[in-house]
Amino acid sequence: MTTRQENALKTRKKLLDVTNALIKEKGFYNLSVMDITQRANVATGTFYTYFKHKEEIALEICKNLFKETQLKLEQNKNSGITQRLCLYFECFIKEVQSYKLHIVSEWIKGLVEQNQRNESMGNIKWQYDFEMLKNIISKSVENKELKSDTPIDILCEIILTQMYGMLTVWCMSDGDFNPENTVKEFCEIQLKVIIGKYLI
């Protein structure tokens, strides 16, 4: 790798790190590209060398956050689908809770008030979560843990609706609601029912 390539990777990582820190401080919707470039001490044009807009860098941050979750899922690939889904939800909630409550509120608000913008932070988060969950369930169908006629997209929508419902209640309760406990209850009670009829 050349020095120029190494510097490019460092700059890209710096932009990601700075954006992640600023989202936690200011929230996503209050954040501008200029805020990011000023904190990173780079020219505004440098940002656009690596990312088309702030939604794209936010999606990259989401992917990076869940790399550890993907690694844990891979390490537990021989456990049953219900156990792997429970592991995913536990990791999901822990990652979400690492952000401040107002960030989660912004994700929910972004979903509710998209105003035809498919690149809102809430919509990006939903799409990413949907694809990750779909991947887990699809692999279980391929591995013959779940029946071939398992309605993968429908299950993803039902399960994610439950998860986002928990996040919404957490926001509504001003943090009093405990999403980790509710995820455990969800896995024990609802998930087994949702998945149960499709198990082989």
Side-chain angles (χ1 to χ4, degrees):
M1 186 180 292
T2 66
T3 303
R4 185 175 179 176
Q5 289 170 325
E6 285 178 6
N7 288 338
L9 285 174
K10 285 178 185 174
T11 301
R12 191 175 192 280
K13 185 179 182 308
K14 187 177 185 181
L15 287 167
L16 285 163
D17 291 344
V18 164
T19 303
N20 193 31
L22 284 170
I23 287 173
K24 289 181 178 181
E25 286 174 27
K26 302 180 68 160
F28 179 74
Y29 294 105
N30 295 324
L31 183 63
S32 69
V33 170
M34 187 173 287
D35 292 329
I36 296 166
T37 55
Q38 284 179 347
R39 176 75 65 92
N41 199 26
V42 299
T44 304
T46 302
F47 178 92
Y48 293 106
T49 300
Y50 300 97
F51 305 99
K52 292 177 187 173
H53 37 65
K54 69 175 187 173
E55 288 81 7
E56 185 177 36
I57 196 170
L59 178 57
E60 186 73 21
I61 289 167
C62 278
K63 287 179 180 177
N64 288 340
L65 281 174
F66 283 92
K67 278 181 181 173
E68 188 176 331
T69 300
Q70 288 172 319
L71 180 62
K72 285 182 181 177
L73 287 169
E74 185 60 29
Q75 289 168 346
N76 288 273
K77 64 183 177 184
N78 294 325
S79 59
I81 178 59
T82 307
Q83 290 83 3
R84 289 199 313 279
L85 283 171
C86 287
L87 175 62
Y88 166 68
F89 298 138
E90 287 166 16
C91 292
F92 176 96
I93 286 297
K94 283 179 185 171
E95 289 296 348
V96 165
Q97 285 184 298
S98 72
Y99 281 84
K100 294 178 182 174
L101 188 60
H102 75 277
I103 303 300
V104 180
S105 297
E106 286 189 0
W107 289 344
I108 302 299
K109 184 179 178 185
L111 278 171
V112 174
E113 300 177 357
Q114 285 184 48
N115 297 323
Q116 310 303 317
R117 289 182 67 230
N118 290 326
E119 293 176 342
S120 73
M121 182 60 187
N123 198 41
I124 286 170
K125 182 83 175 80
W126 173 272
Q127 288 173 357
Y128 180 75
D129 293 338
F130 188 94
E131 287 305 314
M132 192 164 183
L133 184 56
K134 185 174 181 178
N135 185 48
I136 296 168
I137 296 174
S138 296
K139 283 184 178 175
S140 295
V141 172
E142 289 169 21
N143 295 335
K144 299 188 177 6
E145 291 179 86
L146 295 174
K147 295 176 183 175
S148 59
D149 63 346
T150 299
I152 297 170
D153 284 1
I154 293 171
L155 288 182
C156 289
E157 286 177 6
I158 290 170
I159 292 169
L160 272 185
T161 299
Q162 293 291 319
M163 296 300 292
Y164 274 64
M166 290 178 209
L167 296 180
T168 302
V169 173
W170 186 39
C171 294
M172 290 167 59
S173 71
D174 200 28
D176 291 337
F177 175 79
N178 188 322
E180 281 189 59
N181 288 343
T182 307
V183 161
K184 287 176 185 172
E185 291 168 1
F186 170 73
C187 287
E188 274 298 309
I189 302 167
Q190 290 174 281
L191 184 61
K192 289 180 179 179
V193 175
I194 293 167
I195 295 291
K197 67 181 286 188
Y198 303 106
L199 289 170
I200 294 177

